Amino acid sequence: MNTPLQSEITDHIDLTLGRDDDDDDADDTNYCDKAESACEEEMKFLAMSEIMNMKNENDSSQELGSPNKRKVDVAIEVKWTDDNDLLDVDEFTEYHSKKSKKDNLKAAGKILEQSVEDASDTINNGCSNDTKSVKISEKIHSSVFDIPQGDDIPVTFYGLRRFRHIMSTVLNGEAHLFSSSDIAWFSHFVKLDLSSQSLFVRLLLRKYGWFFLKKESYDEVPDIISAGKVLCKKSDDMTFHIAEDENSAEFSEELVKQLTLGDLRSIVKSFGHTRLTKLKKQDLVSLVFDRLSKSKDGDSIDTITGVQAIAKITGPLIRICPQTIDLVERLFLVYYRWTRIPDENYMSPSIMVEIKKVTFPEYQVSRNFNLFGSHKEVVEYYNLLHVKAQMHKFASVKATDSDSLKQGWALCQKHKDRWLYWISKTNRQINYASSNQGGQSFSPGWVLTKIVELGLECAKMLKLYREETVNLCTNLTARTLFKDAVKLCKDGLCDPHLHPVFKPKIAKKLRSLEKDLRIMSRDQTDISIYTFKEPPTRTISAKKISSAPNARHQAWQGAFKASSVEAIALEHYAKLGYKGEHTETSIFTTLYILVFWDVIYGNIPDVFDTPYQTHPLDMFSANFYSRREDLIERRLQETRNGKACQYIEMVDSRERTRNTACIGISWNIPKSSLLEIAECLGGEALAAIFECLSKEYYLRKSGAPDLCLWNPDAKCGMLVEGE
């Protein structure tokens, strides 16, 4: 009798090939050919897992073979089923996505360690006699790829040690997120000598582009020319090189700019020029580029000629292949759980820890292997992160830069249909991320939503208000634009799904629109429940100091020097007995993290995937509170009872000396100030602030007034916003 997993495989093969009971007399050989083309990677996982399960049941003590053996002949037992038993394609995909991939993937990887005979014998001994055997010979793409972590690599290769650790961590649990060509690249890389591997990592940590090997020098790479040649070789099973040499370079002005001043002068001298002392580097660059770009007759020449001319002066050139950069960035994305393409060095967190320059909080790492859905979705997610980075640049320009804003809006429109598709597939996204309540951020749909938000910012600055409302999926009528806007604001205020933090701004906009429409006061919408109480206003006088034309802030004459508005206010309140810090919300997030440290960095499954996190993955999720509700409520009650200072003292004393890199904390605020603020605010006020941050950190982490003031003697405090 077939196991449930065997039945799934059987059903999926039958479904894919359209076979039923009437096909019993069909040619088995033809069916085998069809099966080879029909079986997808997910079916391979299941088949390999079932083989391993049966192997463990039949002979758990059998010694496994070489882990490097990757070509396996697998016999899969297939039972013909009735059409009524077949799974719908979507049902099969949804069912499989809900299964724990971790167990399946580990089992699939282990089968690679068996010989062909072991695998065949296992099938024959473990399956029932009423099945027909179909042999599928294939180079298996395992989902567990056995790569050593690199702990045995000398410590002088610190960059390579970290890179190998990252590669090993990802491929030993999430190899299913990479294609067979990706796996071939990793397999080839780990077989290279350490010098070549280290040179690759060194170049990877630099800006992408061409490098002149003779000008590079690393202690762990004694023969850099030979190491470069090794990186430029491609094995037979690889679809792209690790690196490229000068034979693949295209002659460009950017390449010429990378030459040193001495190299540029040497090339110009070869042209017959002798008076070079007055020529600046840019002049030399232009001269070399123009001369090498054209023949003596003035016609354009093959760009290889220009590159060869440079190589004669500089020696061999090398750069990492664009396809390799793409692959390695996806590797880092999966490992570090990127939600944006970082501007800094990609391996900076792990390398800084390796050389003991940075310390992260101590917590238990429990990696979630189901965070990403598939190779296809990781590739889409990665590409969309680059689009989001572009959109950030477009949406960050001034309103007068209409060209950039139009490009941003056009880019948003280009991705609108894909965004609507993912919105319709929300439930499917959550299925494979459900084990991590912050997992929705790691889907293409999440990035597309951010792209649309940034696109709407561009539309707003372009005053494309109608387009903006259409993209917000509102069904506008043919009324005037102002009336449409009024209706949209009213709908927003009544929307139970819209967070209250956004409603005061909408109410303020609604009031402005009603005034523009000259609606009588008695007929205007009552927005009193969304209106903040006006705080008292105090006027402080200071002498204005002329500042530079492009200065961002106006300067004022303080007690001893030119000061900002906030500094003038601090001086004023200091005379009234108040201490103060210009920290905005960071003073409250610092207090919160210190008091709730063990709650935030506690042992919660699937939220700490690497040792280099400043916060749990679900910190910005609405589920952060629900997963820790009991712990949070207990700590809030302790805060109300006046125990906050005990936690501040304990955690601050331990972590400040380590300068721990963690979310929300500003170590620039002295511990004495933090203790005084906590005492002046009191337990009830602190608990109210901490409750907001616990439930909605992603919304409440900013927006507080500029200054936090407290009077240690009077045990009181206030918040001050400068104008």
Side-chain angles (χ1 to χ4, degrees):
M1 181 174 179
N2 280 3
T3 66
L5 193 53
Q6 286 175 307
S7 299
E8 288 178 33
I9 300 169
T10 300
D11 291 346
H12 189 43
I13 294 177
D14 287 344
L15 174 64
T16 307
L17 302 180
R19 175 134 179 176
D20 56 29
D21 284 344
D22 295 333
D23 295 321
D24 279 336
D25 296 329
D27 189 320
D28 284 343
T29 303
N30 292 336
Y31 188 79
C32 177
D33 294 337
K34 293 181 181 180
E36 285 192 83
S37 61
C39 291
E40 299 294 332
E41 288 184 2
E42 288 185 320
M43 194 273 292
K44 295 172 194 170
F45 302 162
L46 296 171
M48 294 300 95
S49 298
E50 186 63 11
I51 293 170
M52 197 60 203
N53 289 339
M54 291 184 291
K55 175 68 176 173
N56 290 337
E57 292 174 3
N58 292 334
D59 189 5
S60 59
S61 63
Q62 181 175 348
E63 183 178 352
L64 297 178
S66 171
N68 295 323
K69 195 161 198 174
R70 302 192 67 242
K71 191 161 187 176
V72 183
D73 287 340
V74 182
I76 299 180
E77 297 296 323
V78 179
K79 178 182 178 181
W80 315 134
T81 61
D82 295 327
D83 288 340
N84 294 334
D85 295 330
L86 299 182
L87 292 172
D88 178 76
V89 173
D90 291 335
E91 291 176 349
F92 178 88
T93 303
E94 181 177 357
Y95 175 78
H96 178 54
S97 69
K98 291 180 179 179
K99 296 180 71 65
S100 172
K101 287 183 180 176
K102 182 176 180 181
D103 294 337
N104 287 341
L105 301 186
K106 285 186 175 180
K110 290 179 180 178
I111 192 62
L112 298 178
E113 303 175 57
Q114 295 188 107
S115 63
V116 175
E117 293 78 16
D118 290 337
S120 301
D121 291 341
T122 299
I123 283 289
N124 294 332
N125 294 333
C127 296
S128 59
N129 294 326
D130 60 345
T131 59
K132 293 185 178 181
S133 181
V134 177
K135 189 175 183 181
I136 300 176
S137 299
E138 182 141 7
K139 192 172 186 178
I140 300 299
H141 169 206
S142 169
S143 290
V144 178
F145 196 65
D146 186 18
I147 290 183
Q149 293 215 350
D151 295 335
D152 56 335
I153 297 175
V155 293
T156 53
F157 294 79
Y158 61 87
L160 177 58
R161 282 167 60 92
R162 288 298 95 198
F163 183 75
R164 287 285 297 271
H165 171 79
I166 291 171
M167 187 191 305
S168 173
T169 300
V170 172
L171 296 181
N172 285 343
E174 295 167 284
H176 63 286
L177 302 178
F178 298 89
S179 67
S180 56
S181 60
D182 296 338
I183 296 297
W185 187 99
F186 292 125
S187 177
H188 174 74
F189 179 83
V190 297
K191 296 174 184 176
L192 302 180
D193 60 275
L194 290 183
S195 292
S196 300
Q197 292 186 41
S198 184
L199 176 61
F200 169 79
V201 175
R202 286 284 194 172
L203 297 178
L204 186 67
L205 298 179
R206 305 269 297 276
K207 292 182 178 179
Y208 298 145
W210 288 98
F211 298 94
F212 307 109
L213 278 176
K214 286 186 177 180
K215 300 183 184 299
E216 304 298 323
S217 177
Y218 306 112
D219 293 338
E220 70 273 22
V221 189
D223 188 351
I224 198 166
I225 302 298
S226 298
K229 290 180 179 179
V230 170
L231 291 179
C232 294
K233 291 181 180 179
K234 181 171 72 74
S235 65
D236 294 337
D237 58 344
M238 292 174 65
T239 57
F240 54 90
H241 292 74
I242 293 178
E244 299 172 324
D245 59 18
E246 61 273 12
N247 295 322
S248 303
E250 293 184 4
F251 185 66
S252 66
E253 188 171 0
E254 291 300 318
L255 180 60
V256 178
K257 285 181 179 179
Q258 292 184 242
L259 293 169
T260 64
L261 192 59
D263 290 337
L264 288 169
R265 286 174 175 168
S266 298
I267 295 175
V268 172
K269 283 181 181 179
S270 69
F271 299 157
H273 292 270
T274 55
R275 297 181 180 179
L276 306 176
T277 55
K278 294 184 178 180
L279 293 178
K280 297 180 179 179
K281 182 173 181 178
Q282 184 55 48
D283 298 328
L284 294 171
V285 168
S286 300
L287 187 60
V288 170
F289 179 70
D290 293 341
R291 178 64 178 271
L292 295 180
S293 297
K294 302 182 185 302
S295 66
K296 293 181 180 180
D297 299 328
D299 299 326
S300 296
I301 61 176
D302 189 348
T303 61
I304 295 178
T305 304
V307 175
Q308 290 175 345
I310 291 176
K312 286 181 180 179
I313 300 295
T314 64
L317 278 70
I318 191 172
R319 76 164 182 178
I320 299 176
C321 290
Q323 300 96 321
T324 293
I325 293 173
D326 177 276
L327 170 59
V328 172
E329 285 189 343
R330 283 188 282 114
L331 176 74
F332 290 158
L333 180 156
V334 174
Y335 179 78
Y336 287 114
R337 308 318 201 197
W338 284 352
T339 55
R340 66 175 182 88
I341 302 295
D343 299 324
E344 66 276 6
N345 185 304
Y346 296 155
M347 291 174 58
S348 179
S350 52
I351 289 179
M352 295 301 283
V353 169
E354 179 80 8
I355 61 178
K356 303 187 185 307
K357 294 290 186 181
V358 173
T359 302
F360 287 91
E362 295 180 357
Y363 48 76
Q364 183 175 338
V365 176
S366 175
R367 195 165 181 86
N368 176 18
F369 296 106
N370 297 324
L371 188 62
F372 293 100
S374 66
H375 165 67
K376 180 180 178 182
E377 289 186 6
V378 167
V379 171
E380 183 178 8
Y381 180 81
Y382 165 73
N383 291 332
L384 288 172
L385 286 183
H386 281 285
V387 176
K388 183 165 76 81
Q390 287 182 282
M391 288 298 303
H392 267 295
K393 293 179 180 179
F394 291 137
S396 301
V397 301
K398 296 181 179 179
T400 54
D401 189 354
S402 59
D403 290 340
S404 294
L405 294 173
K406 287 178 181 178
Q407 291 181 56
W409 178 239
L411 189 58
C412 170
Q413 293 286 81
K414 181 180 177 180
H415 291 84
K416 181 183 68 175
D417 292 341
R418 187 63 179 168
W419 172 62
L420 294 174
Y421 164 79
W422 271 100
I423 292 298
S424 68
K425 297 293 183 180
T426 298
N427 290 334
R428 185 169 67 85
Q429 293 180 55
I430 294 176
N431 281 340
Y432 64 73
S434 59
S435 62
N436 184 334
Q437 299 299 324
Q440 296 90 331
S441 300
F442 300 97
S443 72
W446 179 86
V447 189
L448 285 163
T449 300
K450 294 298 180 183
I451 290 171
V452 171
E453 287 179 2
L454 293 167
L456 296 182
E457 285 293 320
C458 295
K460 182 174 68 175
M461 287 189 278
L462 289 169
K463 300 188 184 302
L464 301 176
Y465 297 120
R466 186 171 295 278
E467 287 88 343
E468 182 175 355
T469 54
V470 167
N471 280 278
L472 286 171
C473 303
T474 58
N475 297 317
L476 300 179
T477 62
R479 293 173 296 176
T480 64
L481 184 60
F482 272 100
K483 289 183 179 179
D484 287 341
V486 168
K487 182 180 183 302
L488 185 62
C489 288
K490 289 182 176 180
D491 290 345
L493 293 176
C494 298
D495 188 350
H497 301 292
L498 183 65
H499 195 280
V501 76
F502 302 114
K503 293 190 176 182
K505 287 186 177 180
I506 295 176
K508 186 177 181 180
K509 184 64 177 179
L510 175 59
R511 174 64 76 243
S512 175
L513 290 169
E514 289 179 335
K515 288 180 178 179
D516 290 338
L517 289 170
R518 293 182 172 81
I519 297 176
M520 299 295 290
S521 298
R522 63 176 179 272
D523 297 326
Q524 291 178 1
T525 306
D526 180 13
I527 60 172
S528 58
I529 61 173
Y530 307 111
T531 305
F532 294 115
K533 181 181 178 181
E534 288 294 329
T537 302
R538 292 182 176 86
T539 302
I540 301 172
S541 299
K543 183 180 179 181
K544 187 176 182 179
I545 300 175
S546 59
S547 56
N550 296 328
R552 295 182 59 188
H553 302 290
Q554 181 63 54
W556 305 84
Q557 182 59 56
F560 304 104
K561 60 180 180 179
S563 304
S564 63
V565 171
E566 293 80 12
I568 294 294
L570 287 173
E571 288 180 5
H572 171 79
Y573 282 105
K575 297 174 183 178
L576 302 178
Y578 285 89
K579 295 182 179 182
E581 294 280 352
H582 180 198
T583 58
E584 299 179 358
T585 316
S586 66
I587 200 159
F588 299 113
T589 57
T590 298
L591 290 169
Y592 171 68
I593 300 298
L594 291 175
V595 174
F596 282 74
W597 186 278
D598 57 328
V599 176
I600 295 169
Y601 297 106
N603 187 15
I604 302 293
D606 302 332
V607 297
F608 291 111
D609 279 9
T610 77
Y612 315 114
Q613 293 178 215
T614 60
H615 58 277
L617 291 177
D618 64 349
M619 187 78 177
F620 297 97
S621 165
N623 297 288
F624 175 83
Y625 172 82
S626 62
R627 302 186 75 190
R628 303 163 177 82
E629 184 174 358
D630 292 341
L631 296 172
I632 290 172
E633 288 299 330
R634 192 178 307 128
R635 187 57 48 86
L636 289 174
Q637 187 57 49
E638 290 178 330
T639 302
R640 296 185 188 97
N641 294 338
K643 293 185 178 181
C645 288
Q646 297 178 20
Y647 288 106
I648 295 171
E649 175 70 41
M650 177 181 66
V651 177
D652 189 287
S653 299
R654 183 185 68 229
E655 303 296 337
R656 185 181 291 270
T657 55
R658 302 171 69 230
N659 196 29
T660 305
C662 52
I663 193 171
I665 286 187
S666 173
W667 295 120
N668 294 326
I669 306 173
K671 180 172 66 173
S672 58
S673 296
L674 294 171
L675 292 170
E676 288 179 352
I677 294 168
E679 188 175 357
C680 289
L681 289 177
E684 290 294 338
L686 280 177
I689 294 170
F690 294 164
E691 183 175 9
C692 288
L693 289 170
S694 295
K695 292 182 177 179
E696 300 161 337
Y697 188 89
Y698 63 105
L699 289 173
R700 309 290 189 175
K701 61 185 176 63
S702 61
D706 295 331
L707 306 180
C708 177
L709 305 171
W710 67 96
N711 189 320
D713 297 328
K715 295 293 188 289
C716 64
M718 68 174 75
L719 302 177
V720 176
E721 176 72 23
E723 294 185 358

